[in-house]
């Protein structure tokens, strides 16, 4: 099944989710590591990869948002308290906002900081003339890093809570086609 249903996510949504999830978690880890390293070839290599993958996210996020808008979103189990459903929806909204603003702030920070962005040495996005907005975006990027790290952590913990504690099939619908006990109230 390619498209979402009211009960499960389709193959395209799952692919977007897992590919972007892996890239984002990798970028977050790389970001925290690279900023703690002393100047070296290894540090600049990590920076280059971080920027290249950030540009991939910047291209993928509008596609993912469009796909989300034209597909139904599976509902949470009926047993989910309204406050949890609202919290989950707010976290997803914040996560999407961060997925858009993180690479955008990184692009602006680099470009207006006088640093070109190499996309895996295939091509390079040239830098613009230096501008003070680079410093503002540097600060913004740093705050967003903590925001997205927190949001991703809450998202993962929520999925694990549904899978191991509630056993309600919420995680399974993002992993497999079979989620037979979804919407059953746990005993």
């Amino acid at each position: 099944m390619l498209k979402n249903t009211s009960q499960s996510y389709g193959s395209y949504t799952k692919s977007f989710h897992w590919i972007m999830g892996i890239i984002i978690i990798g970028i977050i880890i790389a970001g925290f590591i690279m900023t703690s390293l002393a100047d070296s070839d290894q540090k600049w290599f990590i920076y280059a990869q971080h920027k290249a993958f950030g540009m991939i996210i910047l291209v993928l996020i509008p596609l993912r948002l469009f796909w989300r808008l034209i597909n139904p979103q599976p509902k949470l189990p009926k047993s989910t308290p309204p406050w949890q459903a609202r919290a989950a929806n707010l976290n997803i909204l914040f996560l999407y906002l961060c997925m858009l603003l993180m690479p955008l702030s990184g692009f602006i920070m680099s470009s207006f900081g006088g640093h070109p962005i190499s996309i895996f040495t295939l091509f390079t996005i040239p830098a613009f003339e230096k501008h003070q907005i680079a410093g503002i975006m540097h600060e913004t990027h740093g705050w967003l890093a903590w925001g997205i790290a927190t949001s991703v952590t809450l998202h993962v913990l929520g999925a694990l809570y549904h899978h191991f504690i509630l056993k309600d099939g919420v995680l399974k619908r993002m992993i497999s086609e079979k989620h037979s006990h979804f919407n059953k109230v746990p005993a």
Side-chain angles (χ1 to χ4, degrees):
M1 150 182 83
L2 299 177
K3 295 182 89 174
N4 298 352
T5 68
S6 62
Q7 295 295 308
S8 186
Y9 293 104
S11 299
Y12 289 151
T13 301
K14 289 176 189 178
S15 296
F16 269 132
H17 179 271
W18 291 109
I19 290 168
M20 291 181 74
I22 290 166
I23 293 171
I24 288 167
I25 290 170
I27 285 176
I28 292 169
I29 293 168
F32 286 121
I33 289 171
M34 71 191 194
T35 56
S36 67
L37 293 175
D39 290 356
S40 66
D41 288 342
Q42 179 187 24
K43 178 177 183 165
W44 306 129
F45 175 78
I46 295 171
Y47 261 93
Q49 303 312 301
H50 179 84
K51 290 178 186 185
F53 278 109
M55 293 302 92
I56 289 172
I57 293 296
L58 191 56
V59 169
L60 288 177
I61 191 61
L63 298 173
R64 183 167 181 184
L65 286 169
F66 176 73
W67 187 252
R68 183 177 172 95
L69 288 173
I70 65 170
N71 274 276
Q73 296 305 303
K75 306 284 185 229
L76 286 170
K78 294 173 185 166
S79 59
T80 305
W83 72 268
Q84 281 184 6
R86 279 192 298 278
N89 287 332
L90 284 173
N91 189 52
I92 291 296
L93 180 64
F94 182 70
L95 189 54
Y96 272 99
L97 186 64
C98 286
M99 285 190 291
L100 178 63
L101 294 178
M102 279 295 294
L104 189 58
S105 65
F107 170 75
I108 295 169
M109 174 180 56
S110 270
S111 296
F112 285 98
H115 306 288
I117 300 171
S118 173
I119 310 299
F120 307 113
T121 68
L122 298 173
F123 65 94
T124 300
I125 302 169
F128 301 119
E129 188 174 320
K130 286 192 176 188
H131 190 278
Q132 66 186 16
I133 197 165
I136 295 166
M137 288 298 108
H138 182 269
E139 186 77 19
T140 302
H141 199 71
W143 282 106
L144 286 169
W146 287 105
I148 199 167
T150 301
S151 186
V152 167
T153 300
L154 290 172
H155 185 68
V156 170
L157 289 174
L160 295 174
Y161 172 73
H162 277 278
H163 187 71
F164 291 109
I165 307 295
L166 299 179
K167 300 178 183 186
D168 59 10
V170 167
L171 178 61
K172 287 184 180 181
R173 64 190 184 174
M174 188 52 85
I175 295 173
S176 70
E177 297 295 323
K178 298 178 183 181
H179 46 14
S180 58
H181 62 280
F182 181 69
N183 277 340
K184 286 185 180 178
V185 177

